[in-house]
Amino acid sequence: MPLLVMKFGGTSVADLARIENAAKKVQAEVERGYDVIVIVSAMSGKTNELVGWVEQTSKLYDAREYDAVVASGENVTAGLMALRLQEMGVPARSWQGWQVPINTTSAHGSARFVSIPRENIDRKFAEGMKVAVVAGFQGISPEGRITTLGRGGSDTTAVAFAAAFGAERCDIYTDVDGVYTTDPRITSKARRLDRIAFEEMLELASLGAKVLQTRSVELAMRYKVKLRVLSSFEETDETSGTLVCDEEDIVESKVVSGVAYSRDEAKMTLIRVADRPGVASAIFGPLAEAGVNVDMIVQNISEKAAGHSGATTDMTFSVPINQVARARKAMEEARASGIISYDELVEDTEVAKVSVVGIGMRSQVGVAARMFAALAAENVNIKVIATSEIKISVLIDRKYMELAVQALHDAFELEKG
Ligand code: ADP
Ligand code: ASP
Ligand code: MG
């Protein structure tokens, strides 16, 4: 039997009516002759509520218990979806991660897949089951504890199942009808793309475009999964949505294909760090051990400062805003134990990151200049800059984030096809 993976995100299963709507889309594929693996998210808002409960209970929580709590949202939806399909006469059953089993690492809160054995689900398909409804976002560690994959992780569950089961396609149903040049919530000029290259989607996702989880794009690229993003709120067919594909399969390509943003960033600066060989490793080692995701890094030129015997430097880095407390603790502990020495730790929690992405940048000069000019024209001050082969990112005051995205969308004429 040909097999499809269909993933429904939070808004697509937000209530019983939405679950029924999604179930009808699944039924239609079964009637077309497919076996289907359905991956479900928690009902919209549910995961945030569960995370909130954990944080209110314990500030520096035990990550294993965090996972036990937040994985539960998907379990409810999986059971309800299986029930709804059964009511429609479609042979279906639900699977929690541990039942498959979805084996992951024990990195709680950001676990990675180790293996997805097919036997249990294949046996049920052989017995006549048409739909396996699998709870997204979760798995089980070698220690037998429940794990989660990081926010947005159901996308990755979907792609991993598509790879493991050799699915004909992996359809990601969401509340927008595809991948846009930027988040359509920020500007009505955003344009839907028929196709986007894996590399570009990977950058957009990792820079904040949450339409797909970064890891899901990585996996799709590695295992050559045919990945599509489409709307669960509309009638859809084989041609709907955006196909994420190889660069070679894209005819038109602009210098910049999209603008991404990440709202919840923070900038931390260690003032007057005693500068010596190994200082960067002494700072970022403890941060990594504390599980802090450092993104942009700037080290200033070393100077001789008053009151210091040797040279000192300022080290600035950005972290997700919810990791500031963790990062501060790691730095204070490293200072207390003499691993590093600095005068002050300054935090700026009012920043956001805005990035432009495009494979065309590889061969085109002047993209950075055009970006900075567009921001300057709007009087947006740039605090940190980072570039790579196909992206340029800037850290700016959060209050200018929307303005910056719109200005860049205009500057690179992204509304034009
Ligand atoms: P789901 O719950 O279905 O997983 P998400 O909220 O995680 O949905 O992702 C869909 C959202 O991603 C859209 O509603 C949109 O606001 C946002 N988004 C951000 N950037 C983009 C983009 N470039 N194209 C499409 N959607 C985007
Ligand atoms: N429910 C989880 C989240 O909100 C996983 C997902 O929806 O992809 O992050
Ligand atoms: Mg999502």
Side-chain angles (χ1 to χ4, degrees), residues 149 283 287:
L149 308 173
I283 292 171
L287 287 171

Side-chain angles (χ1 to χ4, degrees), residues 270-330:
L270 294 169
I271 309 279
R272 286 181 292 279
V273 183
D275 197 10
R276 52 177 174 75
V279 67
S281 133
I283 292 171
F284 297 107
L287 287 171
E289 270 164 42
V292 176
N293 252 320
V294 174
D295 178 23
M296 300 160 114
I297 300 175
V298 181
Q299 182 179 345
N300 283 11
I301 292 173
S302 210
E303 276 182 285
K304 176 80 193 67
H308 287 265
S309 51
T312 66
T313 183
D314 295 344
M315 188 76 88
T316 299
F317 52 89
S318 68
V319 300
I321 201 162
N322 61 0
Q323 294 185 0
V324 168
R326 226 170 254 269
R328 186 191 316 123
K329 185 163 176 266

